[in-house]
Amino acid sequence: MAWRKPAGREVDGCAEEAAALRTGLVREVVAGGGLTDPAWRAAFEEVPRHLFVPYYYEAGDATAAAAPPGAKTAGAAGTAGAAAGTAGAAEAAEAGEVDAAHGTVGYTRLWRDDPHPLRRARWLAGAYADAPLATRVRDGELITSSSQPSLMARMLQALQVRDGDRVLEIGAGTGYNAALLAHRLGDAHVTTLDLDPEITEAARNHLAAAGFRPAVVTGDGARGCPLHAPYDRIIATCAVASIPSAWLGQCRPDALILTPLATGLIALRVADARHAEGRFLAIPAYFVPLRGSGPPPRVPTHGLPSRPLLDDSFRFLLNVAAGHMEPVEALALWEHEGRPGRERYGVTVRGERQWAWLDDPEGAYGWPLGPPGRLEPFRGLSPGAP
């Protein structure tokens, strides 16, 4: 049976309206085929997302003349506004995101303490839209976001948690995903980790405001969190180019690792500290890279006709094989193999070696994960490889 916890005290006076919006969001996700597990449905119904996004950014013209009175725009010149001393403004300023003279151009900030009632209503409605929310933007670059709720629901269900499981989340974000996990499993079974102390501090405050107190740790996501290991599940909310060995080493046998990789979600079943294997989920997933891991490999498209580039399954193959296969060869493979979807691909980890593959880890097509090297598909490694 799912572990339940009260949603906590809502200090901003919009509890009733937020509850109605939450009900609408859950209905929308369910109608789309998500939240089939009653325990996760209860978590989404009861955890108040708006407490985790006291402000967020909408992309657009930062100097739009149509902005109502009291509008705050990241990067707009002028004073910080009449409500600059509120908690939302203070948190944003400490994160380096509200700077009257040198802020980010092109994003409009919506926040819970905006003095204009229509903009506050817009903020609350956006918090319960089935859409990702940009929560930290620096110098025009997206640093963190709160993922689309329907995608979060699919990821959490794919994690296949059981009562009593210990879960490590890589990428604390706003703390909302950790709250959903804590609602399902209990505070003591959840650890969330992020490299940026400002992010972990904000996540800790959001969680406390909603009535949850899982472990919130500042550290390098690639190194995991040995303090609370071993884990039954690891879920990452940031993209990796390869599977960090520390994650496997901190898992119990038969644990599951779910992480974004190459615009997809790979679900790896862990055999031991050196071996894991699994397939991609069918759904696309676009996440910011793991902080400190460097930019993702460049995906070349030279020599390609435009039509295949409009197909998501071909773009996924280009990402999987980036740096290891010429684009025209990828196109020939994709067409020859019947335009395979994500679910036909997988990943194998054997000691220091790890590779992505199509259909079979020992089959004809595989690509090493990590820095670019090979420029063609290679046959699967021998079964005796470490």
Side-chain angles (χ1 to χ4, degrees):
M1 179 178 294
W3 183 93
R4 298 192 180 191
K5 166 174 238 174
R9 183 170 62 94
E10 302 196 25
V11 298
D12 54 1
C14 58
E16 185 174 347
E17 186 178 358
L21 290 169
R22 220 162 30 245
T23 298
L25 172 61
V26 169
R27 284 192 188 131
E28 183 178 351
V29 174
V30 170
L35 294 177
T36 56
D37 183 334
W40 286 123
R41 178 167 181 164
F44 277 82
E45 287 174 338
E46 297 172 19
V47 176
R49 189 188 190 202
H50 67 286
L51 294 186
F52 295 87
V53 286
Y55 64 92
Y56 57 86
Y57 296 93
E58 286 186 346
D61 183 1
T63 60
K72 285 300 300 298
T73 306
T79 64
T86 64
E91 184 179 55
E94 289 170 5
E97 293 168 297
V98 176
D99 187 299
H102 304 95
T104 303
V105 175
Y107 285 89
T108 298
R109 184 166 69 92
L110 299 176
W111 59 314
R112 68 184 174 198
D113 296 314
D114 194 294
H116 195 279
L118 292 180
R119 288 182 61 85
R120 287 199 305 273
R122 181 174 159 195
W123 160 79
L124 185 61
Y128 289 104
D130 186 25
L133 299 175
T135 54
R136 286 176 185 264
V137 178
R138 290 177 185 160
D139 299 324
E141 179 185 358
L142 176 64
I143 302 298
T144 62
S145 63
S146 180
S147 300
Q148 184 176 7
S150 57
L151 177 59
M152 297 174 70
R154 290 178 181 271
M155 290 179 67
L156 289 170
Q157 292 199 170
L159 201 59
Q160 301 175 29
V161 297
R162 306 154 299 186
D163 292 347
D165 278 352
R166 297 183 66 86
V167 178
L168 171 64
E169 179 191 30
I170 307 295
T174 66
Y176 178 54
N177 200 59
L180 294 167
L181 285 163
H183 184 286
R184 172 65 178 84
L185 297 168
D187 290 346
H189 294 272
V190 178
T191 299
T192 185
L193 174 72
D194 205 285
L195 181 64
D196 191 329
E198 291 176 343
I199 290 176
T200 51
E201 179 64 21
R204 189 178 293 111
N205 291 338
H206 300 161
L207 284 158
F212 298 96
R213 297 190 181 276
V216 182
V217 179
T218 303
D220 184 351
R223 297 185 179 184
C225 182
L227 180 63
H228 298 135
Y231 303 102
D232 302 286
R233 301 288 187 269
I234 293 180
I235 181 172
T237 57
C238 47
V240 297
S242 60
I243 309 302
S245 59
W247 294 5
L248 272 65
Q250 293 170 26
C251 281
R252 290 192 174 101
D254 201 41
L256 189 69
I257 295 175
L258 182 67
T259 182
L261 191 155
T263 77
L265 291 166
I266 184 69
L268 289 170
R269 187 65 65 175
V270 177
D272 55 41
R274 292 174 58 81
H275 298 83
E277 190 168 275
R279 287 185 178 268
F280 283 89
L281 305 187
I283 57 176
Y286 299 86
F287 285 80
V288 295
L290 175 69
R291 299 284 299 279
S293 64
R298 186 179 65 87
V299 179
T301 60
H302 55 272
L304 293 174
S306 58
R307 182 168 302 223
L309 292 172
L310 300 176
D311 193 298
D312 177 72
S313 67
F314 178 61
R315 294 198 306 273
F316 175 72
L317 173 58
L318 286 178
N319 276 273
V320 167
H324 304 286
M325 192 177 189
E326 293 291 350
V328 291
E329 294 177 332
L331 178 59
L333 184 157
W334 179 70
E335 291 179 334
H336 181 268
E337 295 298 325
R339 303 183 177 186
R342 284 174 172 81
E343 67 278 5
R344 286 179 57 186
Y345 295 84
V347 167
T348 296
V349 179
R350 289 184 186 158
E352 301 302 316
R353 296 177 174 179
Q354 48 182 287
W355 68 98
W357 40 263
L358 174 65
D359 291 332
D360 184 347
E362 309 300 340
Y365 301 110
W367 305 271
L369 298 180
R374 301 176 184 269
L375 290 177
E376 73 282 335
F378 70 100
R379 295 192 176 274
L381 304 176
S382 65

